[in-house]
Amino acid sequence: MWAVLCWLLVNIANSGNLRTKLPYVLGLAVILLGWFVWCFAHYSAWKKQTGHADTTNWRRNWNWAGPSLFVLLSLILGLELSQSATKIGTHLNYRVNRIVNVRGVELKQKNVFQTGLDGLTASLRKQTDVPVKLYVSPDAPLKVTINRSGQIQAITGYVFGHRKKGGNVSYLINYPAAHGEKMTIERSRTGVSAKNMRRQNLLAPFFKLMRTEQLAQTVTAQNYRSYDIFYGGASELNTEQSLVDLNAADSDSSSSVSGNWQYNVAVYAEGQTDVPLVRFYDSALKVSPPQKSATEQRTAGLGQNEVQFFRNAHDGYRLKSVNAALGTYYYELRTTNNGGKNWQILNDDPFHGEGGVALAVKFLSPSLGFIGIMQNAGTSSKLYRTSDGGHTFKQVTYPVHKVKVGQEETAIFIAPEMPVKTKNGLQMKVGQGEQGDYQGGRAQAVYRSTDQGETWQFVKISEK
């Protein structure tokens, strides 16, 4: 009976259905409790009757086996309940999360025309662990829906920040709540991206931008029942948008704002998220464009069918397409010494007039480098080598290795990868190209060079 009760409890923790299973749980619990009470009540009488411990083997063994089985089942129950409480998607985890991380607070100040978003601010501050600095994600902006009178109808979205003791944490905001008129604020420590915790994504400017007479004037002048207001931090503005500078005397848009980054809120008409009715910003709230990451900076301007290689954090090389016709591309070799901020032409015709699709570029040292190009619709390729830092290139040949495909020997290894350094010189693998299916497409021909890549010898066939 204890085993059945444990199974029921674990089943409820994982999948719920408490109302259906509760009568069985209570019934078993009452029977087990009654049995324990009966046993304890009759234990003294049984001791007096026997006068000594029962020495029968099976009874003596059961005195150990019974309690041991009970304890084992209890430990299994505890382990299963613990796993259910921490495993996302189970009923118990949902309930524990609601108790620990979800709070319901009343949104008292609901009219943005009168008090802005003071009600949201007060609700957030009721959560004592909310960081001082909060941020929003530009990919998932905070959304506030109001009616023509300025009454808040809904708030959805999440904000996040960094707590000194608890690390990064996010807060999911939902108003009205699913069950009632209170605002729910759910805390989570998972899935918080620290990359958006920068000045351009601060939440505080949103509260300042919402305390404005221009918002009320814009909304009441339109004939819509409700309006959706989105805030994703600062973004680049352009004059094609309907812009209003809240800091300007005439509250009119200015052509000088084009290309500037500003904190702004976009106001849309009831569910129409294609073009905003107006976008408010305050030129007094200064913000700088976000700095590009090293990866974004390096790949900036890299087009389709173009390749690049960075030898270190600063020195890079790029095969830049300068002309194209019918799927054939012609390239120049560019270089950078500042991590991709600026590029200069190093060689305006590294492939000696040959066209195709660039395979790769790689420099093993400031002087020694290789480039490759695929030609004839992916059925052939060429490898080029430089020993003077890319100023001049010379085509490199390597012995064609044929394998038996069906009844004929065919040269299928036609896609060279860039060479790598090994203790025995340079090594290069040559693949089968896009259409190769020899040995399931996994086979590669391996070549070795002992003279810095000028000549190559076939070594073996290996798998990727």
Side-chain angles (χ1 to χ4, degrees), residues 51 171 195 246 251 265 269 380 405:
Y171 299 86
K195 69 177 183 179
L246 302 176
S251 297
V265 295
S380 65
V405 180

Side-chain angles (χ1 to χ4, degrees), residues 301-379:
L302 184 65
Q304 187 179 12
N305 296 315
E306 297 177 350
V307 294
Q308 67 180 22
F309 170 79
F310 275 81
R311 196 166 50 84
N312 51 46
H314 306 287
D315 302 319
Y317 306 86
R318 174 180 291 181
L319 286 172
K320 182 71 176 178
S321 173
V322 294
N323 197 3
L326 301 176
T328 299
Y329 296 82
Y330 298 88
Y331 297 89
E332 64 184 16
L333 180 65
R334 297 185 179 184
T335 183
T336 179
N337 58 8
N338 56 14
K341 292 181 180 179
N342 305 104
W343 294 85
Q344 299 83 33
I345 297 177
L346 179 61
N347 188 318
D348 59 2
D349 188 15
F351 293 115
H352 304 293
E354 296 278 354
V357 177
L359 283 173
V361 54
K362 185 174 183 179
F363 275 72
L364 301 178
S365 70
S367 58
L368 180 62
F370 297 86
I371 56 176
I373 191 168
M374 182 73 73
Q375 297 177 313
N376 300 322
T379 59

Side-chain angles (χ1 to χ4, degrees), residues 256-281:
S256 63
V257 77
S258 182
N260 288 350
W261 275 73
Q262 297 286 344
Y263 297 109
N264 63 88
V265 295
V267 182
Y268 294 84
E270 46 181 349
Q272 301 178 17
T273 57
D274 295 332
V275 180
L277 296 173
V278 65
R279 191 179 290 270
F280 292 105
Y281 73 98

Side-chain angles (χ1 to χ4, degrees), residues 1-61:
M1 292 181 71
W2 179 235
V4 174
L5 181 58
C6 290
W7 176 83
L8 281 171
L9 292 174
V10 171
N11 192 268
I12 291 171
N14 288 328
S15 59
N17 296 326
L18 178 61
R19 292 184 179 180
T20 303
K21 298 164 185 173
L22 185 60
Y24 301 101
V25 172
L26 292 177
L28 287 171
V30 169
I31 294 173
L32 283 170
L33 181 61
W35 180 74
F36 273 109
V37 171
W38 186 89
C39 287
F40 280 113
H42 289 77
Y43 179 73
S44 298
W46 175 79
K47 285 278 290 184
K48 291 179 181 179
Q49 183 178 356
T50 57
H52 56 84
D54 199 326
T55 57
T56 307
N57 286 337
W58 73 270
R59 289 183 180 274
R60 185 171 63 251
N61 293 338

